[in-house]
Amino acid sequence: MNRERYEKISAGFSQSRVLVIGDLILDQFVWGRVSRISPEAPVPVVEVDRETQYPGGAANVARNLREFTPHAAVLGIIGTDPAAHTLKRLLTDEGIHIDGLQQDPDYHTIVKMRIIARHQQVVRVDREQKLRPTQAQFDRAVAALEGMLPRLDAVIVEDYGKGLIQQGFADEITVRVRAAGKLLAIDPSPHNPLRWHGASVMKPNRSEAFAAAGRPHSEPVDPVENDEAVREVGRILLEKWECEILLMTLGEQGMMLFRPGEAPYHTPTRAKEVFDVSGAGDTAVALFMLALSAGASAGEAAEISNHASGIVVGKLGTATVNPAELLRSFSTPEAQ
């Protein structure tokens, strides 16, 4: 894809209205440096320079969308604890719509704290309680989705396996979104194997795809076009999930696009440097759906998604890609 075509597609990004449903997490980062080992134990002592906080999990997908459109929204459940107040404030400050947000005083908002020294993650500390939605919460979530659907172009389900996406809710989402004629993307969790069917897009990574297809792990083959195991898994999942598009992210090998009755389409990675792969899947599904909703073909959406992911892995922390960065990536010779 060249710059001219990208500019034509991206001109419609700001009009796209996209809802992200899923597990909402507060990502915290403690940044510092290491100059000595603790005398108490053989561990590094991190001297803290600064701390940052970002919306994470499904909220990070919404952050990626918000870089390109003012019409990004989230639907999920958080607590009423200090972490919940921080997460809610961060979402509001970034201009992400929170009409679909529920707060439960009995639920502890998930917090992931990463301690990073000299561009290296030293340790991650998780404060996590798996959500068990009540019938009342389930009913409110379905009602919120139903009320928002007429104003949406697309819905993304981002399942981090933290409890919000149960089979009943998954079925309600699929039926209602497809009946409304909206685009639906599912980013499934390997820790929460649900029966998905009929979505516009399914977006597993390589290991998730192999697990969902019931196939054993196999080492990547280079070039990926000759990887018969990947091709077989793609065929199995298209049939199993009955989806229109299967977008399999392949890490350093880029992405492979599968569609019924068509040959697989591979787009190689655009990453120049890789500092942190966390959040790259969030960027991939956000930009793929943004491009589709703006009129791109599946192949064009994959190219845009791949360029965006290649940028974000070159950043540390819960990062996003902005319009200027993405435009520049289509101006380089290798983008042509």
Side-chain angles (χ1 to χ4, degrees):
M1 180 187 293
N2 59 32
R3 176 179 173 131
E4 182 181 1
R5 178 57 183 158
Y6 169 72
E7 287 183 314
K8 185 173 182 180
I9 294 169
S10 62
F13 284 179
S14 63
Q15 302 303 312
S16 297
R17 302 160 299 174
V18 187
L19 170 67
V20 184
I21 303 173
D23 301 298
L24 306 175
I25 297 170
L26 177 63
D27 279 349
Q28 297 179 332
F29 292 84
V30 177
W31 307 86
R33 58 192 183 279
V34 173
S35 58
R36 60 193 173 97
I37 301 297
S38 171
E40 304 165 356
V43 296
V45 174
V46 178
E47 299 174 16
V48 176
D49 292 328
R50 61 190 174 95
E51 298 182 30
T52 55
Q53 300 179 103
Y54 303 97
N60 189 45
V61 179
R63 286 184 69 226
N64 277 273
L65 290 166
R66 182 63 186 88
E67 292 281 357
F68 297 87
T69 175
H71 309 295
V74 292
L75 191 159
I77 300 174
I78 58 175
T80 56
D81 46 24
H85 294 306
T86 298
L87 181 53
K88 189 174 180 180
R89 174 181 58 78
L90 290 171
L91 289 167
T92 302
D93 288 349
E94 295 204 22
I96 296 168
H97 300 283
I98 58 172
D99 295 349
L101 199 63
Q102 291 188 46
Q103 291 192 262
D104 179 0
D106 296 323
Y107 177 60
H108 297 289
T109 306
I110 296 173
V111 178
K112 294 183 179 181
M113 177 187 288
R114 298 167 177 88
I115 300 177
I116 297 173
R118 297 186 184 277
H119 307 299
Q120 181 82 29
Q121 186 174 143
V122 177
V123 68
R124 193 179 91 182
V125 180
D126 288 4
R127 296 183 178 92
E128 181 175 317
Q129 171 194 350
K130 193 161 186 177
L131 178 65
R132 294 177 176 82
T134 64
Q135 186 62 46
Q137 289 170 332
F138 172 80
D139 291 341
R140 284 196 293 270
V142 171
L145 171 62
E146 190 68 25
M148 298 169 77
L149 269 174
R151 305 188 301 274
L152 298 174
D153 298 304
V155 174
I156 299 172
V157 177
E158 186 67 34
D159 186 7
Y160 270 76
K162 307 303 182 185
L164 176 64
I165 311 299
Q166 304 289 332
Q167 188 64 61
F169 192 26
D171 293 340
E172 288 284 355
I173 292 169
T174 303
V175 169
R176 291 171 186 268
V177 174
R178 299 304 284 164
K182 312 295 183 177
L183 293 168
L184 173 63
I186 311 296
D187 195 350
S189 168
H191 307 296
N192 188 32
L194 301 178
R195 299 184 306 275
W196 292 107
H197 58 86
S200 312
V201 180
M202 296 293 297
K203 193 218 70 66
N205 62 31
R206 192 180 196 277
S207 63
E208 291 166 347
F210 274 68
R215 289 295 185 268
H217 168 79
S218 68
E219 291 298 320
V221 173
D222 197 19
V224 70
E225 289 86 350
N226 295 337
D227 195 330
E228 285 301 322
V230 165
R231 288 173 171 268
E232 180 189 16
V233 165
R235 289 191 293 268
I236 291 170
L237 293 182
L238 277 178
E239 183 176 342
K240 175 181 178 178
W241 283 332
E242 299 176 344
C243 55
E244 298 170 18
I245 298 168
L246 173 70
L247 181 67
M248 191 188 304
T249 55
L250 302 170
E252 63 184 19
Q253 290 186 313
M255 302 178 179
M256 184 79 87
L257 189 69
F258 298 87
R259 288 159 290 182
E262 297 187 31
Y265 175 76
H266 175 242
T267 173
T269 183
R270 304 294 180 177
K272 294 180 174 61
E273 293 181 289
V274 178
F275 284 117
D276 192 344
V277 298
S278 61
D282 298 342
T283 302
V285 71
L287 270 295
F288 188 83
M289 292 304 287
L290 198 62
L292 276 188
S293 64
S297 68
E300 290 171 333
E303 292 290 347
I304 291 170
S305 172
N306 198 30
H307 273 258
S309 299
I311 295 167
V312 84
V313 297
K315 303 180 180 183
L316 276 172
T318 308
T320 61
V321 57
N322 64 49
E325 291 171 324
L326 192 50
L327 179 61
R328 281 197 301 271
S329 78
F330 282 98
S331 303
T332 58
E334 57 267 29
Q336 304 305 316

